[in-house]
Amino acid sequence: TGRFQYSNTDYEVFQIASKLMNSGAELTKISDNIYGSIPMNAMKLQSEVLNRINLFEEESLVVSYILQDDYQTFNIESSETDFLIDSIRLVKESTVALLLKEQEDKTFKGSLRSRTHLDVQKIASLFGGGGHKAASGFSTSLSMEEITTKVRNAIRLQT
């Protein structure tokens, strides 16, 4: 539920959280382990990813990327970069965020997030991917430019 901030946060979620707290779950420890503890190398890569952000105002879309070279440069595993989509989605002027991660075979994995009614699962499905209305992903052999163009077009069709 992303700290209880996403649309899937409902009464049942709070009931479950309440039961966990009553059973001794340590909210501070859990929160720190999930959201508050990022390795230094990941923070340095985050800075690079933020510097690469491109805002497409017409579509309210932000896009950034991670290249294979970045994993060596910052001595980091791909799995340690999953939080970066949440960093770029914070741009106030955006409603959709796209983070592209180059794979070893030079293809890309894309992560999409939406903060509005716009359905990113529909966009991910254009690349053979899927997920949820507000959070989806895909893999493709298209270039970053082709991916971005396709996503921008898909956003325009939904608005």
Side-chain angles (χ1 to χ4, degrees):
T1 64
R3 301 179 199 178
F4 303 110
Q5 66 183 350
Y6 299 136
S7 61
N8 64 338
T9 305
D10 58 14
Y11 177 79
E12 182 182 11
V13 170
F14 284 111
Q15 289 294 105
I16 293 167
S18 176
K19 287 178 184 176
L20 289 169
M21 293 297 292
N22 285 336
S23 298
E26 297 180 45
L27 179 61
T28 305
K29 189 180 231 178
I30 293 168
S31 181
D32 190 48
N33 283 328
I34 295 172
Y35 302 109
S37 180
I38 299 169
M40 182 63 159
N41 289 351
M43 290 296 289
K44 289 181 178 183
L45 177 56
Q46 179 181 32
S47 175
E48 189 66 34
V49 168
L50 293 176
N51 281 328
R52 294 174 179 163
I53 285 182
N54 198 347
L55 172 65
F56 298 92
E57 292 182 39
E58 182 181 340
E59 298 82 12
S60 295
L61 169 69
V62 289
V63 179
S64 193
Y65 58 91
I66 301 169
L67 300 173
Q68 276 297 303
D69 289 347
D70 295 329
Y71 297 118
Q72 284 78 41
T73 300
F74 295 97
N75 192 27
I76 193 169
E77 298 292 323
S78 176
S79 61
E80 295 176 281
T81 65
D82 292 341
F83 75 98
L84 292 172
I85 184 65
D86 295 318
S87 298
I88 68 168
R89 71 179 284 278
L90 295 174
V91 174
K92 184 178 184 176
E93 295 84 358
S94 72
T95 56
V96 178
L98 170 62
L99 180 64
L100 296 171
K101 294 182 182 181
E102 184 182 40
Q103 304 303 294
E104 288 183 20
D105 64 0
K106 301 302 179 191
T107 62
F108 285 95
K109 281 191 176 181
S111 295
L112 288 159
R113 299 293 182 273
S114 174
R115 297 194 307 193
T116 64
H117 65 283
L118 198 130
D119 188 343
V120 293
Q121 181 181 13
K122 288 180 181 177
I123 297 171
S125 71
L126 297 173
F127 301 93
H132 305 283
K133 182 179 178 181
S136 292
F138 61 87
S139 295
T140 182
S141 60
L142 295 175
S143 70
M144 282 193 288
E145 294 77 19
E146 291 170 314
I147 297 166
T148 302
T149 298
K150 199 167 182 175
V151 169
R152 291 176 71 191
N153 290 337
I155 291 170
R156 279 191 231 110
L157 289 174
Q158 284 193 47
T159 53

